[in-house]
Amino acid sequence: MDTKFSSAIHSLIMISESETPVNSEQIANSVGTNASYIRKLTTRLSKAGIIEGRKGISGFRLLKPAREISLLEIYKSIMEVEQVHIFDIHQNPNDECIVGRNIKPTLEGMFSRMEKEMEEKLAGMSLEDCVNAMGKELKEKELKEKE
């Protein structure tokens, strides 16, 4: 499974929540990858109008509030697609077989409905939701450590 989407969300949370500008090296260190990979992601996010590099300062900033950045917008910009596409169907089923002959139309409809549902869910969630979920997770860990 491709990890660009989760790496982009990770990067955006860092950018959103940092009090000082964070650069690709710092993000890469946190994500556990290299800075050139992060630069590829930030280039896509920048092209989509989600972030911008700061002139004269090393680092990035959000171009709009986290609550206005949907996960669907992030997904589309990172994956460079117009709609959610998760599932592929194998290309050479045997037409001599009843399953092989009918698998593509069967799965195409099912996969299309699932991808549409995923698209709707992503559209209804924002970067701010991710930030809040992380904050909740951190608070729960703190409480457990105190016990």
Side-chain angles (χ1 to χ4, degrees):
M1 191 60 95
D2 195 303
T3 61
K4 285 190 292 275
F5 185 48
S6 65
S7 296
I9 293 171
H10 184 138
S11 301
L12 290 170
I13 291 173
M14 284 189 68
I15 293 166
S16 169
E17 297 305 296
S18 179
E19 292 179 14
T20 60
V22 289
N23 62 37
S24 55
E25 290 284 338
Q26 294 166 310
I27 296 169
N29 186 49
S30 180
V31 173
T33 189
N34 59 60
S36 65
Y37 178 73
I38 296 301
R39 283 190 288 277
K40 287 177 188 173
L41 297 180
T42 55
T43 296
R44 291 177 184 185
L45 294 167
S46 182
K47 259 176 58 179
I50 297 172
I51 63 169
E52 73 175 355
R54 296 173 178 223
K55 291 180 169 68
I57 300 173
S58 176
F60 303 97
R61 74 176 186 98
L62 297 180
L63 288 174
K64 53 188 170 182
R67 72 180 171 280
E68 294 177 17
I69 302 171
S70 76
L71 295 188
L72 180 60
E73 181 180 3
I74 297 167
Y75 177 88
K76 286 180 174 182
S77 68
I78 288 301
M79 303 308 284
E80 297 181 310
V81 295
E82 290 300 315
Q83 60 190 49
V84 172
H85 180 72
I86 301 170
F87 305 109
D88 284 321
I89 300 171
H90 53 291
Q91 294 300 306
N92 300 307
N94 183 347
D95 285 339
E96 306 270 326
C97 170
I98 191 166
V99 175
R101 197 169 39 251
N102 294 289
I103 195 68
K104 282 180 105 172
T106 301
L107 293 180
E108 282 173 347
M110 292 172 67
F111 289 176
S112 178
R113 286 189 299 277
M114 287 187 278
E115 289 171 341
K116 185 70 179 152
E117 287 176 25
M118 177 64 82
E119 197 165 290
E120 290 168 3
K121 288 184 186 290
L122 291 172
M125 298 176 75
S126 70
L127 178 61
E128 184 177 67
D129 294 327
C130 295
V131 170
N132 291 341
M134 182 174 285
K136 182 180 176 189
E137 182 74 25
L138 289 171
K139 284 180 185 175
E140 288 174 5
K141 283 184 180 181
E142 282 179 19
L143 288 174
K144 286 181 183 177
E145 289 175 3
K146 289 181 180 180
E147 292 176 351

